[in-house]
Each structure stands twice: as C-alpha cells, then as structure tokens.
Amino acid sequence: MAEETKDTKSSNQMWGGRFASGPAAIMEEINASIGFDKKLYAQDIRGSIAHATMLAHQGIISGEDKDKIVDGLNTILSEIEAGQFEFSRKLEDIHMNIEARLATLIGPAAGRLHTARSRNDQVALDFRLWVKEELQKTETLLTNLIDAFLDRAQEHAETVMPGFTHLQTAQPVTFGHHCMAYVEMFGRDRQRVRHAIEHLDESPIGSAALAGTGYNIDRHMTAKALGFREPTRNSIDTVSDRDFALEFLSIAAICATHLSRLAEEIVIWSTAQFGFIRLSDAFSTGSSIMPQKKNPDAAELVRAKTGRINGSLIALLTIMKGLPLAYSKDMQEDKEQVFDAAESLELSLAAMTGMIRDLEVRADKMRAAAGSGYSTATDLADWLVREAGLPFRDAHHVTGRAVALAEEKACDLADLSLEDLQAIHPAITADIYNVLTVEASVASRKSYGGTAPDEVRKQIKWWRSRN
C-alpha cells in the first residue's frame, strides 16, 4: 500500500500542481501510451542528449549539469537495451519514464533537461527520427527486392511466357520482361521513399509547446547534431504536423498494393493449372489432411497484410482530419498505426525477396502456354499492315477471320495452311510464318521498353547502373 502511494505521488508530481489527486483508473488507461511509445526510447534519448548539449553550449544550463544529464541518459539507454528498465504506466509515456529515471539517477540536474522544450516538440522529434530511420530501412529492403528481380530478369531475358490482359492470353512476352515490370513498380516505391526522407528532413525540437521559446536556443545546432538538413520554420505547424507519418503510410499502402499484385501472380502461377513456377519449401506449407498439397502461404500472407497497411493509413487520415491547430491528444493515436504498418511492410518485403530468389521457373510450361489463345494474332495483323499495306482496322478484321478458322480446325494460327490464309486474304504470302511463332513475336517487339530480349537487357543494364 505504501508503494502504491509513492507511485501516485510520483505521478502527481509529473502532472504538476494543477491536479490535487491522481487520475482515475480509466483516465490512466486511456491516457497512457507507454505500452507502444516505448519503441521510441532510442530516439528520445538521442534527442535529449542533443538538446542538453545545445543548452550547455548556449549557456542556458551549466556544463556540469549537461555532463550529468548525458551520462544519466546513456545509463538509461544501457538499462533499456539490457532489459533492466521498468516502464511505468503511471508515468504515461516514454518521455516521462525516462525523465523520472533520470531524476533518480542524477538528482535535481535532471529537471534542467526540459528547459526550452515541451512534450509536443519532443514527441514530434522522436517520431520523425523513428520514421526517417524506418524509411531508410524500407529503401534498403526495396533495393534488395529490385536486385532479386534484376537477377531473375537477366536469367530469363529470353524465356517466353504468355502476357495477359483480363487474365486472358494476350501476346507473348518474356519472363524477364515481366520481372522488369515489377522493377519499375518497386523502383517508383523506392523513389517515393527517398522523396519522403527529403520532405521530413527538418528538426522539430525547439518549437516547444506551439509558440517557440524565449530562451536563446540554437535550433540549427540541434538539427545538425540529429542529422536533419535544417530546423522546421513554423512552431505551430511543427507540433501539429503528422504529414511525415501519413506519407510513410501512403507509401507503405502503395508498396503493399504492388506486393499484393505480385503475391497474387505467385499464387496463380504456382497452381497445377498454370505450373509456371515452383516455390521453395522455405516459403510454402503443407496441408494437415491432404499430403499432396504445397500451399503458397507466404505469398497469401503478403497479400493479406495489404489490408492491415491500408487500414492504418485510413485510421491516421481519420484521426487527423478534424484537428484544429496546434497539438491535440488525438495525435497520441498516430504511432500504433505506423508501427504496425512498418512491421508488416518490412516482413512482406523480406518474404517477397526470398520468394523471388528461391522460386523455380518452369520455362517449358511457360513456353507451352505462350502459344495458346492465338497469342500471335496481333503479329498477323501487324504483318498485313506492314507487308500488304492494309489499314489496321481491315487487318484486324482479316486476322479475326483467321482466328475463327483456326478455332474451327482446332489448331494454332501457325498450323493453318498458306491456302487457308490466302482464302481469307490473297495478299498473304509464305513470309507470314516468320511472325507466327511466339519466339518471332517476342523478338520483333524492339520498341523502347518492349519485350524483345535485347531490349530487356538494355533496361536491366540501365537499372543496374542506378541501383
């Protein structure tokens, strides 16, 4: 009972003299964020060390107090990383937990640390630092995934497969070209990540509660010490801004959508009906009842995590949508969304990179499917335009009649006799057979960004030069 009274007294001191008694149990439950914001401990300590160093440099606190503060904070960092730090819900958040422990370690000097700052700019700093570091991790993970695709594209620049629209066979492409489509998609994600890092690269500390401070602080010094390009320029916006978190979640949602599309293709391609790929045992599971099954669970879970990430984005947009300037307690609800999305995205990117590196490509199955569905019909139409001088719409009509005849005869276009084709249009010659194979079709697509193997290799080379 005595211990409980001591904790309550400590909590009251943190709240200040305005409150005659501690918060009720319900208030404590709704108000506390230490359960999740303890993840920010390293950023909080790093920011506090930079702040204390600046205060001493400016003569606002003594060098002796600064040294005590820095030593105490480093001790706390070691305690947390060793699992020896006791986090208290009564102290609400990571800031107060660290400050209370610092007071125990070094005494009155700890009270000087909060000079010229507020929890409002402190949490903005901690969260920015965390998101910046997470974006840097995401950039690395995306680079790893892009590298995996570039390796597979190089390996399969000539491996023919069907290209699809509406999930119907459209035209032959190469698997290398298909891989490079994902390089483009994840390359855009990485570029968005880099832009987001640039956007948030401003230090909030020194904005205080919302109006700045009357102390002679040096915000450029703390910005530099913390690795930011410069300090923010408006103290009201600084403490109320969560654009950096929203931008991270937006990027994560777009990237997760790309991952989900890829996961869907992996699920489809690994079915017995397609058989284009085999997943390694490392990224598959079996069935509890059907011994023949090999389930693409990793891909399915990547696909599912898109829903969690999208949900986090919508949640934070909704939290922020009606908040007046500057800070409101609603913003305490921002971190769990970002933490959860970051964990899901990290895991999804790592899992997908592993799947792409490990999967076995079944080139024979891809080649057999590439010629199905009259995939070279467009090549016939293009030949009629190019060699026989037909307007494309007329060539389209002639080709449609050829497809209908092939369907009637249950054969491929290349298996129709010259007499059959000339009966449809007399301008057709034996040269038509040079474009009716899937290999010839693929080789002919030499336009910039096309599926011709040489063009695919050019794009691989370009990406490797910038990756």
Side-chain angles (χ1 to χ4, degrees):
M1 190 67 172
E3 186 64 31
E4 182 178 341
T5 303
K6 182 180 177 182
D7 286 348
T8 303
K9 182 179 179 182
S10 175
S11 178
N12 293 344
Q13 288 173 346
M14 289 300 170
W15 278 64
R18 169 67 180 84
F19 294 88
S21 61
I26 293 174
M27 182 60 189
E28 180 181 305
E29 184 67 24
I30 198 171
N31 195 50
S33 60
I34 189 60
F36 53 85
D37 70 14
K38 62 185 177 183
K39 189 184 286 282
L40 300 174
Y41 74 89
Q43 292 77 21
D44 195 74
I45 290 171
R46 184 180 166 199
S48 290
I49 289 174
H51 183 65
T53 302
M54 180 275 296
L55 291 176
H57 183 269
Q58 295 299 104
I60 299 171
I61 66 173
S62 70
E64 181 183 356
D65 282 345
K66 183 267 289 185
D67 290 341
K68 288 180 181 179
I69 289 168
V70 171
D71 288 346
L73 289 170
N74 282 324
T75 297
I76 293 169
L77 179 63
S78 298
E79 289 177 348
I80 294 174
E81 291 182 341
Q84 298 170 349
F85 188 94
E86 292 188 18
F87 294 99
S88 169
R89 288 181 62 81
K90 293 183 182 301
L91 297 176
E92 298 181 24
D93 56 29
I94 187 61
H95 322 299
M96 290 304 191
N97 269 263
I98 289 175
E99 186 175 326
R101 177 59 179 153
L102 186 64
T104 301
L105 288 172
I106 69 171
R112 302 191 185 282
L113 175 58
H114 210 55
T115 306
R117 75 174 183 184
S118 161
R119 278 196 290 179
N120 293 356
D121 62 340
Q122 190 177 357
V123 70
L125 172 65
D126 295 356
F127 201 18
R128 259 184 208 246
L129 284 171
W130 193 94
V131 171
K132 183 179 179 181
E133 291 168 15
E134 191 62 32
L135 284 166
Q136 289 166 340
K137 289 181 192 175
T138 303
E139 181 180 8
T140 299
L141 289 166
L142 282 165
T143 296
N144 293 341
L145 180 54
I146 290 168
D147 281 340
F149 270 116
L150 289 172
D151 289 344
R152 300 321 297 263
Q154 189 79 48
E155 181 184 354
H156 293 283
E158 297 189 22
T159 301
V160 177
M161 69 174 288
F164 300 96
T165 61
H166 308 278
L167 204 55
Q168 305 292 315
T169 299
Q171 293 176 279
V173 296
T174 66
F175 184 61
H177 190 52
H178 199 100
C179 287
M180 292 304 292
Y182 283 107
V183 169
E184 295 288 334
M185 292 162 72
F186 293 117
R188 290 192 297 272
D189 291 329
R190 187 175 62 179
Q191 197 64 22
R192 278 185 279 269
V193 166
R194 289 170 176 170
H195 289 159
I197 293 172
E198 182 181 352
H199 296 161
L200 67 72
D201 205 16
E202 299 176 342
S203 172
I205 198 68
S207 296
L210 80 160
T213 178
Y215 292 95
N216 181 32
I217 62 172
D218 185 345
R219 295 191 62 210
H220 288 84
M221 179 180 174
T222 48
K224 183 177 180 181
L226 293 166
F228 287 108
R229 182 180 65 247
E230 58 191 336
T232 55
R233 288 179 168 79
N234 184 280
S235 57
I236 294 177
D237 176 64
T238 297
V239 299
S240 64
D241 170 37
R242 291 299 182 269
D243 286 4
F244 61 92
L246 288 168
E247 191 163 9
F248 172 79
L249 290 174
S250 298
I251 291 166
I254 296 170
C255 183
T257 298
H258 293 158
L259 288 166
S260 184
R261 296 180 72 179
L262 173 58
E264 174 72 1
E265 293 204 314
I266 288 174
V267 170
I268 292 171
W269 291 348
S270 64
T271 62
Q273 291 75 13
F274 272 74
F276 287 1
I277 61 170
R278 284 194 185 98
L279 289 174
S280 70
D281 292 346
F283 293 98
S284 306
T285 65
S287 166
S288 63
I289 190 172
M290 295 169 284
Q292 84 282 8
K293 294 289 294 298
K294 187 175 184 180
N295 299 324
D297 282 11
E300 291 172 350
L301 288 166
V302 167
R303 186 175 59 187
K305 285 185 181 296
T306 305
R308 290 180 68 149
I309 294 171
N310 289 351
S312 294
L313 172 60
I314 295 302
L316 186 53
L317 284 168
T318 305
I319 289 165
M320 297 299 297
K321 73 174 183 62
L323 299 187
L325 299 179
Y327 180 84
S328 296
K329 194 71 169 182
D330 310 51
M331 292 160 70
Q332 182 169 289
E333 296 294 315
D334 55 3
K335 295 164 205 65
E336 286 182 286
Q337 312 304 327
V338 173
F339 293 161
D340 186 78
E343 183 178 337
S344 294
L345 186 62
E346 277 189 42
L347 186 57
S348 296
L349 285 167
M352 192 57 75
T353 300
M355 277 185 276
I356 295 303
R357 290 206 178 278
D358 286 1
L359 64 81
E360 175 190 343
V361 176
R362 302 184 66 188
D364 55 336
K365 284 278 194 175
M366 287 186 174
R367 171 62 182 82
S372 67
Y374 309 106
S375 63
T376 58
T378 305
D379 298 277
L380 172 56
D382 288 343
W383 186 91
L384 289 166
V385 171
R386 205 169 47 242
E387 304 297 331
L390 272 66
F392 184 80
R393 284 300 167 200
D394 292 345
H396 188 281
H397 179 72
V398 170
T399 301
R401 290 177 59 196
V403 169
L405 181 60
E407 285 181 333
E408 182 182 327
K409 290 177 172 284
C411 67
D412 291 333
L413 285 172
D415 296 325
L416 291 174
S417 69
L418 182 59
E419 291 76 13
D420 287 336
L421 292 169
Q422 288 178 333
I424 296 171
H425 198 284
I428 296 175
T429 70
D431 289 342
I432 193 66
Y433 294 103
N434 293 329
V435 302
L436 289 184
T437 66
V438 291
E439 288 78 12
S441 172
V442 163
S444 71
R445 306 293 171 181
K446 297 178 181 178
S447 58
Y448 186 82
T451 195
D454 286 346
E455 185 58 32
V456 171
R457 292 187 182 100
K458 287 178 185 176
Q459 297 303 328
I460 294 170
K461 183 178 180 181
W462 185 87
W463 271 99
R464 288 202 190 280
S465 71
R466 70 184 306 214
N467 212 35

